[in-house]
Amino acid sequence: MYRRALTWLLRQTVKLDVYINRIYPSDWNPLYYTGGLAHFFLFLLVLSGILLFFYYVASLDGAYASIRYLSEEVPYGFLLRGLHRYAADGFIVAVLLHLFRNWFTDRYLFARDGPWISGMFLLILGGFVGVNGYQLVWDQRAQAVTEIFVAILGAVPLAGATLVRLFLGSEGISAAMLPRILFLHVGVASFLYVLLWWHYVRLRHPKIWPPATWVLLLLGLLVLLSALPGTRPTAGVPAQPGVRVTAYPLDVFFLLPFWLASYLPPGVVGAGLAGLLLLGYLIPYLKREDESRMGPRHAGVAQVIDGNCTGCELCYYDCPYDAIVMVPSPHPGLTKAAASRKLLAVVIDSRCVECGICVGACPFQALELPRFLEADLMRRIAELVRARAPA
Ligand code: HEM
Ligand code: SF4
Ligand code: SF4
């Protein structure tokens, strides 16, 4: 059932690509750059965030006023605020597209479980930073979000009360809270870059930036959204702790769980979120095909046949897992082509996932998977062809 659903989703993803490639040249297809788009939005967030930091006052009395001053008094302050707000929405949309696309196209298996697991951390912490951002404004929405967040946190079994105290800095909303939230907002956002290092470390040439056309288009769109009267972020009503907030504008990208919490007990929403996230972490380990369909599972780490290697570097460029390095050749190779080589390919065992791509890349038969030899494969193919050939 799960496999069938994924196959169907894969087909729809590919169909969507075909449609989009009819509209744009395929190099511009934004779905090929979902990770790059997320990165672009994150970069904008950091840049605008640094500037916002100079105006923000992290106190219960000063926070709302400082944001209002920035939006209404500081020249182009509204633009800065709008860019930060809409880049956050763009970020979460791009990250979710990126997640679903990698999921539907099976790009999370084997050595890609690292990017997947680090990606899940990026999603959770990215979402957390977004929610913090709404709290920092300290208007009525911030107050409602904080109350619901605290209720969800408090519903955590055993550790709930301690977590709430750590988050608020006291038993209830107090002066200690906003500096903590600011610290978390900036600290966790900076930590996303550490996670990104983990995310990229085993990817070969990750496309971390979208094409310039998309950068310009999206920048234009964000500027428009930030400047137009209908979409420009406005100062809401200031928070009034102790007074119940009955309605506040919903941001569907970040605040959906908070909307749910108006209908369901916070513990149920928290448990639902935790369950979804746990499933997310399990995804790379749910879909393992059986061996009879996939062929040999453990073909062995790729081995370089030293005498044949000419140092041409083709395998080095083709290995998707950065598992091959080229080193100065300590001695000449044995074949005529390898006699005057300058470089020698070396496989880093811990990075090799035994995929065999390098075996196909090497024109000099200088690479083998030890338990799946090229000669055996050719022999089996020849046998199959002979068996099916008309007599
Ligand atoms: C801050 C958020 C994120 C950013 C900036 C980001 C960025 C990127 C980039 C630039 C790539 C390389 C893509 C390529 O070259 O085609 C990538 C790969 C990948 N990402 Fe993310 N990502 C983020 C979050 C996530 C999330 C939430 C997931 C899923 C849970 C995820 C899963 C993956 C996987 C599995 C790959 C490997 C895909 C492949 O090898 O083709 N990422 N990411
Ligand atoms: S089999 Fe070859 S291409 Fe595949 S990961 Fe190992 S060294 Fe890289
Ligand atoms: S492709 Fe083959 S010959 Fe070329 S460097 Fe790699 S192992 Fe050596």
Side-chain angles (χ1 to χ4, degrees):
M1 170 71 185
Y2 172 66
R3 277 185 203 164
R4 244 189 259 155
L6 270 191
T7 310
W8 183 82
L9 286 166
L10 169 64
R11 291 213 177 105
Q12 304 315 309
T13 313
V14 174
K15 268 191 203 161
L16 189 65
D17 276 353
V18 172
Y19 285 128
I20 293 186
N21 287 342
R22 280 190 198 144
I23 308 174
Y24 312 104
S26 59
D27 274 3
W28 289 3
N29 182 340
L31 296 178
Y32 294 162
Y33 295 93
T34 49
L37 286 170
H39 201 165
F40 161 70
F41 285 122
L42 186 62
F43 177 73
L44 269 188
L45 280 167
V46 172
L47 213 64
S48 50
I50 292 173
L51 297 175
L52 283 172
F53 188 78
F54 291 117
Y55 291 95
Y56 184 69
V57 178
S59 72
L60 290 182
D61 297 329
Y64 177 83
S66 67
I67 299 276
R68 195 174 181 143
Y69 172 73
L70 171 79
S71 337
E72 291 173 10
E73 311 284 337
V74 175
Y76 300 107
F78 64 90
L79 205 59
L80 189 57
R81 188 174 169 209
L83 275 180
H84 200 68
R85 164 76 63 86
Y86 286 113
D89 287 342
F91 171 76
I92 214 76
V93 172
V95 169
L96 288 176
L97 271 177
H98 181 62
L99 180 154
F100 287 121
R101 197 176 161 82
N102 283 323
W103 184 13
F104 301 160
T105 51
D106 281 0
R107 302 183 81 167
Y108 53 84
L109 292 170
F110 306 115
R112 285 185 173 109
D113 61 357
W116 183 271
I117 299 294
S118 53
M120 282 304 298
F121 282 112
L122 283 165
L123 175 69
I124 297 172
L125 294 183
F128 179 70
V129 173
V131 170
N132 277 175
Y134 278 108
Q135 291 174 311
L136 285 176
V137 182
W138 206 230
D139 55 6
Q140 289 210 331
R141 170 163 54 192
Q143 184 187 335
V145 166
T146 306
E147 284 165 5
I148 298 171
F149 184 74
V150 165
I152 295 179
L153 215 55
V156 174
L158 302 178
T162 316
L163 286 177
V164 169
R165 229 198 108 76
L166 279 177
F167 183 73
L168 294 179
S170 73
E171 292 310 325
I173 287 171
S174 74
M177 186 188 76
L178 282 179
R180 274 161 199 257
I181 297 183
L182 179 63
F183 173 76
L184 285 173
H185 191 65
V186 177
V188 177
S190 314
F191 184 64
L192 293 186
Y193 278 88
V194 178
L195 286 176
L196 275 178
W197 169 79
W198 174 16
H199 201 60
Y200 297 151
V201 72
R202 289 195 64 181
L203 296 176
R204 181 108 212 181
H205 308 308
K207 294 186 204 124
I208 59 168
W209 203 248
T213 324
W214 277 104
V215 171
L216 291 176
L217 263 172
L218 288 170
L219 261 181
L221 180 69
L222 294 190
V223 168
L224 268 184
L225 287 171
S226 315
L228 288 177
T231 48
R232 184 189 289 196
T234 48
V237 183
Q240 285 175 284
V243 179
R244 203 177 124 72
V245 180
T246 45
Y248 57 90
L250 176 79
D251 179 311
V252 282
F253 301 111
F254 280 102
L255 301 182
L256 215 55
F258 294 85
W259 169 76
L260 277 179
S262 350
Y263 298 95
L264 298 168
V268 173
V269 176
L273 269 180
L276 271 182
L277 295 174
L278 185 69
L279 267 182
Y281 279 107
L282 288 179
I283 280 176
Y285 312 102
L286 286 179
K287 192 195 169 210
R288 290 293 196 220
E289 301 279 358
D290 53 66
E291 208 158 292
S292 59
R293 280 169 57 119
M294 293 285 284
R297 260 287 124 271
H298 296 293
V301 166
Q303 306 286 317
V304 177
I305 301 164
D306 185 318
N308 290 0
C309 177
T310 63
C312 71
E313 297 182 80
L314 288 174
C315 57
Y316 165 74
Y317 286 112
D318 271 10
C319 171
Y321 301 104
D322 256 353
I324 297 185
V325 287
M326 302 302 301
V327 297
S329 172
H331 45 253
L334 293 178
T335 61
K336 203 171 160 199
S340 55
R341 73 180 178 203
K342 300 268 181 306
L343 296 170
L344 173 68
V346 173
V347 176
I348 305 172
D349 290 10
S350 59
R351 288 183 159 239
C352 175
V353 299
E354 310 169 17
C355 67
I357 289 172
C358 55
V359 178
C362 177
F364 300 100
Q365 291 178 314
L367 273 157
E368 285 287 10
L369 296 178
R371 286 192 283 283
F372 195 48
L373 299 178
E374 198 179 346
D376 290 343
L377 182 67
M378 299 308 268
R379 188 175 38 75
R380 274 175 56 193
I381 294 173
E383 277 167 15
L384 282 172
V385 172
R386 265 200 301 277
R388 284 171 187 237

